[in-house]
Amino acid sequence: MMHGISPEESALREAPSILTIDLSALAENWRTLSRKIGRSECAAVVKASAYGLGIERVAPALWNAGAETFFVAHLSEGVRLREILPQAVIYVLNGLLPGTAPTFARSQLRPALGSTPEIAEWSDFCAAEKVDLPAAIHLDTGMHRLGLSVDETLRLADTRRLLAFTPSLMMSHLACADEKGNPATERQLAVFTDLVRRFPDVPASLANSAGTMTGQDYHFDLVRPGIALYGGAPIGGGQALNPVVKLQARVIQVLTAERGEGVGYGGAEHTRRETRIATLSLGYADGVFRSVGSSDARPGAAAIIAGRRCPLIGRVSMDLMSVDVTELPEGAVERGDLATLIGDGITLDAFAAVAGTISYEILTSLGHRHLRRYLGG
Ligand SMILES: *Cc1c(COP(=O)(O)O)cnc(C)c1O
């Protein structure tokens, strides 16, 4: 049978779907933001395994591009990242859980301390160990999710000399910066500016990707982009940087259904003519949400096959979905061909919009059944 093919070639043939992650585009996106912010530092947010793209490959690519400060959500993510990047500054955004300070210290991780009990526990730990370990202080400037209230922050400014550690960053997070012109963003800026004045020796950070794009006032000493690095548009309806992700699925069968037939579970969509259907080996278990499916009442997503846009037909199954390829020339699509769900002109944000969600949720839901190919880096 088929002798002499490489393991890579073989894996490619066997792959039901392919997720291509362009590390050169990712690095270029980081450099673009870094240039944009001038003298501020450009960090990188790599929580949830770099928004699902794989921290083992993404973090070194960002480090090589010049990023030195990284943000993860969980302690376990920080411990993993420390093994990958021994020299990086790593902040853990979800802060300090009771009794976990020794693990932070062992991996040289910095918690983002968002409450007075967390600050007290970190300070007590530093006093007991006789070390001054850096940590961020997270301020709540209007999101009401994490962070010290304004009053607690003012009290901290007055009692700071009692702390057994030196804060390394004053940070807050913007709730509405993805909505252009939302007045809540300016209000948060005003509150943050007023609070960090009281800690003049500590670097400050307010901006996510959207904040970074909003303007220089938001940059402070360090910006914390995530989604912009991964090719999502930070501001609704706005531009993205370079696309980083491409998602393709294999055509496993091409069939014909007569006019008026139901396609897929529930027969939710009926053919309006004799229809050629390409069945793809990709489904909602792979991050292609059921909400991108198509029905008689409502069209769904599309796939690019042989350079043409072909609409989905019927519901998305766990491992399969169907595409109407009637408009393609005879012989243009065959078993084993690839169809593109994200990429080739379909942006991540356009795909997310059809799914009724945001790029972040798409990326972090892509799952682990794809053959992952990393370009560059
Ligand atoms: C996730 C996160 C970011 C990055 O946000 P993007 O919108 O992806 O740029 C920045 N800061 C905090 C606190 C976050 O939780």
Side-chain angles (χ1 to χ4, degrees):
M1 289 269 307
M2 302 206 279
H3 294 292
I5 67 165
S6 68
E8 292 76 31
E9 175 90 355
S10 172
L12 195 59
R13 280 183 196 178
E14 293 167 18
S17 55
I18 302 170
L19 180 64
T20 306
I21 296 156
D22 187 341
L23 297 174
S24 303
L26 170 88
E28 186 54 38
N29 288 347
W30 186 87
R31 281 188 221 102
T32 300
L33 290 179
S34 192
R35 275 194 300 271
K36 186 181 168 63
I37 59 170
R39 271 201 297 278
S40 304
E41 181 184 349
C42 191
V45 179
V46 293
K47 60 197 183 195
S49 197
Y51 290 41
L53 300 188
I55 197 156
E56 287 79 8
R57 302 300 301 269
V58 165
L62 291 167
W63 173 264
N64 291 334
E68 293 175 352
T69 302
F70 293 78
F71 291 82
V72 294
H74 298 309
L75 177 55
S76 61
E77 295 174 350
V79 170
R80 179 80 199 94
L81 182 56
R82 175 56 73 215
E83 290 168 9
I84 301 166
L85 297 178
Q87 319 257 356
V89 171
I90 303 173
Y91 285 99
V92 176
L93 289 166
N94 284 15
L96 183 68
L97 280 171
T100 61
T103 309
F104 277 89
R106 208 175 307 126
S107 289
Q108 292 179 57
L109 304 173
R110 304 181 180 189
L113 304 170
S115 63
T116 7
E118 282 173 81
I119 293 172
E121 185 170 338
W122 190 253
S123 187
D124 289 350
F125 177 78
C126 288
E129 297 290 317
K130 300 190 171 55
V131 280
D132 179 354
L133 297 174
I137 307 287
H138 197 153
L139 311 180
D140 180 6
T141 55
M143 188 170 188
H144 304 305
R145 189 179 66 171
L146 287 175
L148 299 187
S149 69
V150 169
D151 284 350
E152 287 170 325
T153 309
L154 297 179
R155 231 171 296 137
L156 180 70
D158 288 339
T159 57
R160 202 181 131 192
R161 66 197 134 63
L162 304 175
L163 294 180
F165 69 96
T166 313
S168 55
L169 189 70
M170 304 302 289
M171 63 165 282
S172 188
H173 193 42
L174 296 167
C176 306
D178 59 319
E179 251 178 76
K180 204 178 170 71
N182 189 321
T185 305
E186 270 187 51
R187 282 202 295 273
Q188 284 195 269
L189 174 65
V191 173
F192 188 69
T193 305
D194 181 52
L195 291 176
V196 297
R197 269 196 307 112
R198 295 152 207 272
F199 301 82
D201 55 320
V202 185
S205 174
L206 177 61
N208 56 357
S209 299
T212 306
M213 304 296 200
T214 300
Q216 216 188 330
D217 290 355
Y218 290 84
H219 296 167
F220 293 89
D221 300 296
L222 178 143
V223 300
R224 309 185 307 270
I227 197 67
L229 302 173
Y230 307 114
I235 298 180
Q239 281 296 109
L241 300 178
N242 294 316
V244 171
V245 166
K246 181 170 181 168
L247 179 63
Q248 296 166 291
R250 201 69 80 176
V251 174
I252 54 175
Q253 186 175 339
V254 182
L255 57 91
T256 303
E258 285 175 28
R259 179 168 187 271
E261 294 292 318
V263 181
Y265 280 122
E269 182 160 15
H270 294 83
T271 54
R272 275 159 227 116
R273 55 183 170 178
E274 185 178 280
T275 300
R276 269 195 313 141
I277 296 169
T279 307
L280 311 183
S281 59
L282 184 74
Y284 61 74
D286 306 297
V288 179
F289 293 180
R290 285 182 83 248
S291 52
V292 306
S294 182
S295 71
D296 291 331
R298 203 189 76 101
I304 306 292
I305 303 179
R308 296 265 286 268
R309 233 184 133 78
C310 306
L312 260 60
I313 182 164
R315 288 185 188 157
V316 176
S317 308
M318 187 186 293
D319 323 290
L320 294 166
M321 57 203 287
S322 303
V323 179
D324 182 341
V325 293
T326 317
E327 296 292 322
L328 292 186
E330 195 65 42
V333 54
E334 288 181 352
R335 184 172 70 94
D337 285 353
L338 287 171
T340 304
L341 276 297
I342 300 171
D344 292 341
I346 300 176
T347 66
L348 174 60
D349 285 280
F351 182 83
V354 178
T357 185
I358 53 175
S359 56
Y360 305 66
E361 195 180 17
I362 298 296
L363 290 180
T364 54
S365 303
L366 287 171
H368 295 280
R369 297 204 297 181
H370 316 289
L371 175 74
R372 286 180 175 231
R373 281 200 301 195
Y374 290 91
L375 306 180

